[in-house]
Every structure is written in structure tokens, then in C-alpha cells.
């Protein structure tokens, strides 16, 4: 018989009671989510005006791709060091510092863009990538601390929904901003949203941060990286982000090349895939907390079990309404894992190194996001879309196998 552990890692902090004066759990969620939404919009917005940037800076498509890719690459490298810092310092102050960093990076990119200095624009984006990964890791850490064990996955799921919301905001408003103010303005356009988020977040989070007098040792950090449970959940994140970015990157090209749709129509149709993530990422926490009594493993198992056949046989269908339905269902299923994995991973380690575990999850997941579009492009060129989607579906099958043996935090 299994029994629920009487200790939940993130409840070890006596300062974490949601009723504590000056602290509002949902104020923290709302403020942190606004900050993250602004940063996600900043991250993706160059993709919406790539032709304008290429013409202005006289660069090719591969080099232009680095305007978005550099942020993923920076995040992969910076995530673990950021997590180590967050476990040894005040995450609340670091969050404010990250907002200031984005303002600097955005202003730098705006000036560099007006001057036509591509290298300086890239450098500013790298700095913005550091700000993004700090906000992501610190936001998950602080939201997890503020919530109770019964609502933690729900709260973190709401926070992670800031990613697709920010992507939609950046993609939708980028061309309008560029037309009105010039394309360099896209780099400063969303800094105001992060400042508003900080204004909401700062008073709500007062008194939240636990004491760091007994900071975790180097050995404890190393134990996170040697923890098989952490690696198991990290692999789920890698596979989930790989599927997510593969379909995002190559779905529109498939609809254009194989079904003869215009790129504009294909892009609009594929947009439903990430957009459904707003519902999916929130639902992952609600399902786990309310339906499965706090269990995490059934959600990730169901995520890959549903998405595997959909991706495997995606290219077998030609009906447009059916393909839209498949994109919606696949997007929902895949992003259940993306919404839950950050809560999941911090619950299998000691609370003193929870931010490091989240940072590891971020780094591994974004590595999948960085590699999948590149690998997908190579396979499409060499063997075509059918083979590419088949191999992506096999990744989902691997996800089923990993999820089947995934640990359940809090049970023994």
C-alpha cells in the first residue's frame, strides 16, 4: 500500500502560509505571469517581422534566425547557474533585477537596430535571454512557494501559460508596432508590460522569501544532477518541448508544401497548436490537483499516450477540418507535460535546492526546443515530411515509456 508523505518539500518554509499578512498568492501569480508574458513576447517578436529585419540589415534567413534562436541558446547555458543563484539568494530581488535587465536589453536592441548594427542587436538579445530564464525559474520557484500543496500545480500551470500568451502577443502585435514605429521598436514594446507585472508582484510577494542563512552546499547541488528522478522528469520535458517546437516549426511548411495552402493560411491554422496551450497548461495543474489527488505521473503519461498516435499519423489525413482538430488535440496533449513538469521536478528534491531542479528542467527542455526545429529541417530535406512526422511520433512513444516509469512525488 502506498501512502502520501507527510512532508511536502515546498511547505518546509514557515513563511509560506498563504494567509500571512502582506502576501497574496494569486497576486504573485498574476504579477509573475505578466512579467513572463512580456518577456515571452520580447523573445518571439522578431519572428513576426523577419522580412523587414532582413531587408534592413541585409542578412540571410539563417542569420536572421539567430534573433530568436540566441535566446533559447542563452537560456540553455544560463539556466543552471541561475538556479544555483536563486537557491542561495532572494528570488524576489532577483526577479526585479531581471526586469531591469530586460529594460536595458530592450533599449540596447532598439538603439542598435536603428543604427543597423546586427552584432549589437544579437548581443542585446543574449542579455535578454538571461533575463528571460531568470524570470522563468524565479517565477516558478516563488509561485510554488506561495501556493499550498493542494493548489501548487494549478498555480504553476497558470504561470507557465504566460509562455503561449506572450508568443501570441508578440506574433500578433509585432507587425503593427513595426509599421507604426519602425521594426527596432519591437525590442522595447513589451518592457512596459513587465514593469506593470513587477508593480503587481512586488507588494504581493512581500514576506514570501524564506531565510537563506542555511544555504545549500555544493554537494547538495551536485546531488540534484545525480538524481535519477530529476533526470527522468527532465527527459519528459526534453521530449515534450521537442514535439512542441517540431510541430510549431514545420507544421505550416507541411500544410503549404503538401496540401497547397498559402503560407498565411497555413500559419493561421498552425497557430491553434500553441494557442491551445493557454488552456492545456492551466488544465494540467487542475487535473493533477483536483482529479488525481495531487498525483503527477498520470498526467504526463496521458499527455504522451494521446499525442503519440496523433503525430505518427498526422500526414495520413488530408481533410482540413480534421487537421485543425488534430492540431488542437495534439497541442493540448503535448502541453499538458510542459505545464506540469516544472511543479513535478521540484517535488522530487529537497526544497533547499528546488530552484536548481527547476533550472535543470528549463535547461533540458529548452535544449529540446533548440534542437528539434534544426533536426526536423535536416530530416525534411533528406527524407520528406512523412518521415519527419514519423520520427517525431516515435519521440512521443519514447515519452510513453519514460512516463510509465516516472516517479510519483510524495508517495513511498
Amino acid at each position: 500500500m502506498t501512502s502520501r508523505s507527510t512532508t511536502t518539500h515546498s511547505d518546509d518554509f514557515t513563511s509560506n502560509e498563504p494567509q500571512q499578512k502582506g502576501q497574496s498568492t494569486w497576486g504573485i501569480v498574476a504579477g509573475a505571469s505578466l512579467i513572463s508574458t512580456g518577456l515571452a513576447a520580447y523573445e518571439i517578436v522578431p519572428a513576426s517581422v523577419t522580412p523587414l529585419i532582413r531587408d534592413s540589415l541585409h542578412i540571410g534567413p539563417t542569420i536572421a534566425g539567430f534573433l530568436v534562436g540566441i535566446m533559447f541558446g542563452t537560456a540553455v547555458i544560463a539556466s543552471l547557474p541561475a538556479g544555483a543563484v536563486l537557491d542561495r539568494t532572494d528570488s524576489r530581488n532577483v526577479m526585479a533585477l531581471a526586469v531591469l535587465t530586460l529594460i536595458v536589453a530592450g533599449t540596447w536592441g532598439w538603439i542598435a537596430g536603428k543604427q543597423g548594427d546586427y552584432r549589437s542587436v544579437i548581443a542585446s538579445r543574449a542579455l535578454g535571454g538571461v533575463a528571460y530564464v531568470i524570470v522563468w525559474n524565479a517565477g516558478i520557484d516563488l509561485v510554488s512557494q506561495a501556493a499550498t500543496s493542494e493548489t501548487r500545480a494549478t498555480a504553476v500551470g497558470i504561470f507557465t501559460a504566460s509562455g503561449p500568451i506572450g508568443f501570441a502577443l508578440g506574433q500578433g502585435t509585432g507587425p503593427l508596432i513595426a509599421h507604426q514605429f519602425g521594426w527596432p521598436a519591437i525590442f522595447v514594446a513589451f518592457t512596459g508590460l513587465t514593469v506593470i507585472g513587477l508593480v503587481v508582484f512586488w507588494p504581493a510577494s512581500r514576506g514570501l522569501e524564506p531565510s537563506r542563512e542555511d544555504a545549500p552546499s555544493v554537494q547538495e547541488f551536485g546531488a540534484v544532477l545525480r538524481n535519477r528522478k530529476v533526470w527522468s522528469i527532465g527527459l519528459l520535458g526534453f521530449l515534450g518541448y521537442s514535439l512542441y517546437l517540431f510541430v510549431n516549426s514545420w507544421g505550416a511548411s507541411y500544410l503549404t508544401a503538401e496540401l497547397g495552402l498559402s503560407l498565411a493560411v497555413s500559419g493561421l491554422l498552425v497557430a491553434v497548436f500553441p494557442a491551445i496551450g493557454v488552456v492545456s497548461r492551466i488544465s494540467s495543474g487542475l487535473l493533477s490537483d483536483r482529479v488525481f489527488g495531487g498525483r503527477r505521473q498520470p498526467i504526463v503519461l496521458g499527455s504522451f499516450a494521446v499525442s503519440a498516435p496523433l503525430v505518427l499519423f498526422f500526414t495520413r489525413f488530408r481533410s482540413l477540418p480534421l487537421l485543425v482538430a488534430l492540431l488542437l488535440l495534439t497541442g493540448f496533449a503535448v502541453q499538458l507535460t510542459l505545464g506540469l513538469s516544472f511543479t513535478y521536478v521540484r517535488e522530487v528534491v529537497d526544497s533547499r535546492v528546488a530552484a536548481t531542479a527547476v533550472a535543470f528542467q528549463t535547461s533540458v527542455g529548452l535544449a529540446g526546443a533548440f534542437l528539434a526545429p534544426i533536426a526536423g529541417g535536416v530530416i525534411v530535406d533528406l527524407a520528406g515530411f512523412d518521415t519527419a512526422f514519423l520520427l517525431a511520433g516515435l519521440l512521443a512513444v519514447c515519452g510513453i515509456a519514460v512516463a510509465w516509469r516516472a516517479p510519483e512525488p510524495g508517495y513511498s
Side-chain angles (χ1 to χ4, degrees):
M1 174 178 290
T2 61
S3 61
R4 185 75 174 176
S5 172
T6 58
T7 302
T8 38
H9 296 304
S10 294
D11 293 336
D12 293 342
F13 303 109
T14 58
S15 60
N16 284 354
E17 293 299 324
Q19 295 82 8
Q20 181 178 321
K21 184 178 179 180
Q23 178 182 323
S24 167
T25 299
W26 299 110
I28 292 169
V29 174
S33 296
L34 282 172
I35 295 171
S36 179
T37 297
L39 272 155
Y42 166 82
E43 179 179 34
I44 198 64
V45 70
S48 69
V49 293
T50 297
L52 294 178
I53 298 174
R54 287 182 57 192
D55 291 342
S56 176
L57 298 181
H58 308 292
I59 55 178
T62 302
I63 296 176
F66 276 101
L67 288 168
V68 173
I70 188 66
M71 290 196 65
F72 283 111
T74 301
V76 170
I77 296 170
S79 186
L80 273 175
V85 170
L86 290 170
D87 274 327
R88 303 181 70 87
T89 189
D90 189 328
S91 297
R92 183 169 174 262
N93 289 337
V94 174
M95 185 79 105
L97 181 61
V99 172
L100 177 61
T101 301
L102 175 66
I103 294 172
V104 172
T107 304
W108 180 8
W110 174 54
I111 294 172
K114 292 181 70 174
Q115 294 175 343
D117 187 346
Y118 172 80
R119 291 185 179 181
S120 192
V121 170
I122 287 293
S124 75
R125 297 282 290 168
L127 181 62
V130 174
Y132 180 79
V133 78
I134 289 173
V135 164
W136 186 258
N137 290 337
I140 291 170
D141 186 36
L142 291 166
V143 167
S144 298
Q145 289 178 33
T148 64
S149 59
E150 291 78 17
T151 61
R152 183 171 299 121
T154 302
V156 173
I158 292 171
F159 173 78
T160 61
S162 62
I165 292 173
F167 273 31
L169 179 64
Q171 293 276 33
T173 64
L176 301 176
I177 294 167
H179 176 74
Q180 189 69 29
F181 304 103
W183 70 262
I186 63 174
F187 298 127
V188 293
F190 306 104
T191 56
L193 185 59
T194 64
V195 172
I196 293 171
L198 184 62
V199 169
V200 175
F201 168 82
W202 192 254
S205 62
R206 188 176 294 115
L208 172 66
E209 188 69 17
S211 171
R212 299 294 191 185
E213 293 178 0
D214 186 22
S217 65
V218 174
Q219 288 74 20
E220 286 175 297
F221 286 126
V224 173
L225 302 183
R226 295 190 299 271
N227 188 321
R228 290 186 177 182
K229 295 179 180 179
V230 170
W231 277 97
S232 176
I233 299 167
L235 182 55
L236 290 171
F238 178 88
L239 293 170
Y241 268 104
S242 295
L243 287 170
Y244 179 60
L245 264 294
F246 170 77
V247 178
N248 263 313
S249 300
W250 292 104
S253 297
Y254 166 75
L255 294 177
T256 300
E258 301 296 318
L259 300 187
L261 302 179
S262 70
L263 190 59
V265 172
S266 297
L268 184 63
L269 292 175
V270 173
V272 304
F273 180 80
I276 195 64
V278 176
V279 177
S280 177
R281 296 185 192 211
I282 296 173
S283 299
S284 66
L286 287 170
L287 288 170
S288 179
D289 286 336
R290 303 291 177 85
V291 178
F292 290 96
R295 296 182 65 205
R296 313 306 188 198
Q297 186 263 356
I299 302 299
V300 295
L301 178 59
S303 171
F304 286 103
V306 172
S307 60
L310 297 177
V311 177
L312 277 169
F313 299 110
F314 183 79
T315 59
R316 297 291 183 267
F317 298 97
R318 297 285 169 169
S319 165
L320 202 55
L322 183 57
L323 285 172
V324 173
L326 288 174
L327 285 168
L328 278 168
L329 187 54
T330 306
F332 182 88
V334 168
Q335 291 182 83
L336 287 173
T337 292
L338 306 189
L340 190 64
S341 63
F342 296 98
T343 299
Y344 198 173
V345 75
R346 74 187 316 277
E347 292 176 336
V348 299
V349 299
D350 189 272
S351 59
R352 285 152 45 86
V353 288
T356 299
V358 169
F360 175 84
Q361 187 73 16
T362 300
S363 184
V364 172
L366 291 183
F370 179 73
L371 293 172
I374 299 171
V378 172
I379 296 167
V380 167
D381 283 341
L382 293 177
F385 283 103
D386 286 351
T387 301
F389 274 89
L390 175 63
L391 292 177
L394 292 178
L395 285 181
V397 173
C398 292
I400 296 174
V402 176
W404 184 266
R405 299 181 59 84
E408 190 62 72
Y411 284 84
S412 58

